[in-house]
């Protein structure tokens, strides 16, 4: 089966991990700081807190934003469920805004219509690696006194109006799952510009521990003493995985270039295929393509999905609208809430896209798809 996404691991990645295994540190050591510094080169210098997953990154971001019981978070339903679930776990109510039909990104006008006095955060999602409209989202968020969060799980290395993703929102989350452009096997990070929020994020990912005697309530016990002022969790990304991440980040430009080349080939090869809508994009963004999401029209998405997979081509669907999950239905959310997102989902199909995909493999994807659609 040709997968829809796959990591790219070479000998230098293996050696980077092996070097850590031969050393003194396995958990929090020098590779963690090196990875966070290397990542900050891609966020315009905004400092980063590494964590154990993209889901952990979202949880940490909401903590740093001060999201809590009774607050509201506005986000997109066209995302993995974690974008919303982590807000609910903080005690917030999630309001789902509809999406733009061409990019699949959250619609700022829909966000503006949902703002209330309880709105604490607005979370954009860079669907497929295409940055959301952050200037418009910023205007809405600031008008509500809310924090702007970017779920950039798909878009590391992308830019919005010549500004790198990681610098356009107050808090930006990344994911390093194997299908993403850069992997640490499992891992994530939060880019945080504000020093106070950065400190809160860093503490939360380490049990909330306070080690600096100047900040402790009961100092003077000795060098071993540490205190917890606010509860946190163990979301520390270990040295072993950070070493892999450093090696991967040093190839990010090549990964992005190859993915862009493959997207351009798909655009050309699929341009005139009937019954197919290709992904849209804005002139003022430089995407970092994680997915190649086409829309299969005329009610044929399931048929095409099943026939492509039967032919050994691992297409995928990204994503079921978040509020369709039974856990949200049990909270009172109902289908029909975001009609454009639901229409997008009904047609969406992700074609294989990863750095090591060959032209020949891509040609096979195109030939199989066009044959099924009856070109």
């Amino acid at each position: 089966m040709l997968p829809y996404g796959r990591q790219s691991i070479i000998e230098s990645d293996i050696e980077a991990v092996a070097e850590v295994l031969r050393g003194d540190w396995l958990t929090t050591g020098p590779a963690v700081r090196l990875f966070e510094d290397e990542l900050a080169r891609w966020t315009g210098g905004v400092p980063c807190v590494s964590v154990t997953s993209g889901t952990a990154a979202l949880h940490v971001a909401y903590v740093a934003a001060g999201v809590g019981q009774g607050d509201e978070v506005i986000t997109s339903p066209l995302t993995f469920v974690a974008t919303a679930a982590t807000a609910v776990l903080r005690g917030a109510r999630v309001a789902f805004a509809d999406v733009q039909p061409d990019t699949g990104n959250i619609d700022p006008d829909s966000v503006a219509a949902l703002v209330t006095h309880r709105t604490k955060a607005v979370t954009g999602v860079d669907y497929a690696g295409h940055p959301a409209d952050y200037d418009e989202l910023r205007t809405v968020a600031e008008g509500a006194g809310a924090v702007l969060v970017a779920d950039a799980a798909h878009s590391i290395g992308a830019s919005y109006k010549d500004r790198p993703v990681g610098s356009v929102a107050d808090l930006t989350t990344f994911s390093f799952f194997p299908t993403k452009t850069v992997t640490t096997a499992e891992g994530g990070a939060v880019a945080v510009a504000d020093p106070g929020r950065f400190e809160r994020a860093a503490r939360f990912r380490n049990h909330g521990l306070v080690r600096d005697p100047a900040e402790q309530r009961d100092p003077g016990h000795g060098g071993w003493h540490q205190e917890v002022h606010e509860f946190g969790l163990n979301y520390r990304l270990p040295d072993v995985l950070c070493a892999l991440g450093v090696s991967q980040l040093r190839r990010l430009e090549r990964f992005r270039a190859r993915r862009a080349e493959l997207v351009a080939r798909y655009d050309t090869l699929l341009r005139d295929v009937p019954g197919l809508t290709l992904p849209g994009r804005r002139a003022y963004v430089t995407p970092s393509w994680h997915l190649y999401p086409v829309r299969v029209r005329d009610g044929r998405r399931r048929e095409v999905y099943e026939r492509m997979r039967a032919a050994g081509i691992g297409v995928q669907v990204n994503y079921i609208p978040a509020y369709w999950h039974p856990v949200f239905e049990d909270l009172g959310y109902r289908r029909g809430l975001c009609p454009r997102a639901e229409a997008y989902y009904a047609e969406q199909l992700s074609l294989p896209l990863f750095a090591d995909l060959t032209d020949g493999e891509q040609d096979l994807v195109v030939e199989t798809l066009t044959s099924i659609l009856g070109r």
Side-chain angles (χ1 to χ4, degrees):
M1 177 74 73
L2 180 67
Y4 90 96
R6 183 169 59 200
Q7 69 273 16
S8 175
I9 301 296
I10 62 175
E11 193 59 36
S12 59
D13 298 320
I14 297 169
E15 181 54 37
V17 172
E19 184 176 351
V20 170
L21 293 173
R22 297 186 191 105
D24 296 327
W25 298 89
L26 290 181
T27 54
T28 305
V32 174
R33 175 56 63 85
L34 182 59
F35 175 65
E36 291 171 344
D37 289 347
E38 193 75 21
L39 183 57
R41 293 180 55 240
W42 291 94
T43 63
V46 176
C48 299
V49 176
S50 60
V51 292
T52 51
S53 69
T55 300
L58 286 158
H59 195 185
V60 169
Y62 289 137
V63 169
V67 172
Q69 194 72 36
D71 291 329
E72 292 180 347
V73 173
I74 303 174
T75 192
S76 168
L78 199 61
T79 181
F80 185 60
V81 68
T83 312
T86 46
V88 175
L89 288 170
R90 291 293 299 165
R93 177 188 175 274
V94 175
F96 291 101
D98 216 340
V99 303
Q100 299 164 335
D102 55 345
T103 65
N105 279 333
I106 195 168
D107 181 357
D109 290 337
S110 182
V111 174
L114 293 171
V115 166
T116 74
H117 69 282
R118 291 185 176 181
T119 302
K120 187 72 173 184
V122 172
T123 303
V125 177
D126 297 344
Y127 183 77
H130 185 294
D133 281 315
Y134 285 105
D135 282 353
E136 289 84 352
L137 292 174
R138 168 73 68 187
T139 298
V140 175
E142 288 184 348
V147 176
L148 179 60
V149 179
D151 181 344
H154 292 184
S155 62
I156 185 170
S159 62
Y160 170 79
K161 297 184 179 178
D162 298 322
R163 289 173 280 161
V165 165
S167 68
V168 293
D170 298 313
L171 297 144
T172 303
T173 67
F174 298 102
S175 170
F176 306 115
F177 190 72
T179 57
K180 302 301 197 302
T181 303
V182 164
T183 188
T184 57
E186 289 278 7
V190 188
V192 196
D194 178 80
R197 290 185 184 133
F198 181 89
E199 182 63 25
R200 192 171 189 197
R203 282 184 180 172
F204 185 80
R205 65 98 183 256
N206 189 29
H207 300 284
L209 292 172
V210 178
R211 291 193 168 111
D212 185 350
E215 299 179 25
Q216 293 175 350
R217 296 183 189 176
D218 186 25
H221 293 278
W224 66 85
H225 186 65
Q226 50 192 350
E227 301 175 347
V228 173
H229 297 180
E230 293 181 85
F231 289 124
L233 294 169
N234 180 0
Y235 279 158
R236 299 188 305 266
L237 191 65
D239 256 38
V240 174
L241 300 187
C242 284
L244 174 59
V246 171
S247 182
Q248 289 268 304
L249 282 170
R250 289 172 178 170
R251 290 193 287 142
L252 174 52
E253 190 54 57
R254 278 179 280 168
F255 289 154
R256 288 183 61 253
R258 177 55 180 162
R259 285 172 176 262
E261 182 181 319
L262 290 165
V263 166
R265 289 191 87 243
Y266 270 138
D267 287 347
T268 299
L269 295 170
L270 296 173
R271 183 172 48 210
D272 299 320
V273 176
L276 204 64
T277 301
L278 305 188
R281 68 200 68 177
R282 301 284 184 261
Y284 45 82
V285 307
T286 302
S288 185
W289 293 107
H290 163 57
L291 302 174
Y292 188 80
V294 298
R295 294 181 66 169
V296 182
R297 301 194 299 270
D298 306 318
R300 299 187 64 188
R301 195 270 305 275
R302 182 167 182 172
E303 173 205 348
V304 173
Y305 171 88
E306 292 176 348
R307 291 177 65 181
M308 290 287 281
R309 292 184 73 87
I313 297 172
V315 293
Q316 187 57 282
V317 173
N318 304 95
Y319 300 92
I320 177 175
Y323 57 82
W324 281 23
H325 288 283
V327 68
F328 279 102
E329 291 182 344
D330 292 346
L331 291 172
Y333 294 81
R334 294 293 178 260
R335 299 189 181 198
L337 189 61
C338 298
R340 292 195 300 273
E342 294 183 20
Y344 194 105
Y345 162 71
E347 298 180 340
Q348 196 277 340
L349 192 71
S350 296
L351 303 184
L353 183 67
F354 50 92
D356 292 340
L357 184 70
T358 67
D359 288 359
E361 288 170 331
Q362 187 180 35
D363 289 341
L364 176 62
V365 173
V366 171
E367 289 165 9
T368 306
L369 179 60
T370 55
S371 176
I372 292 171
L373 288 173
R375 182 178 176 181

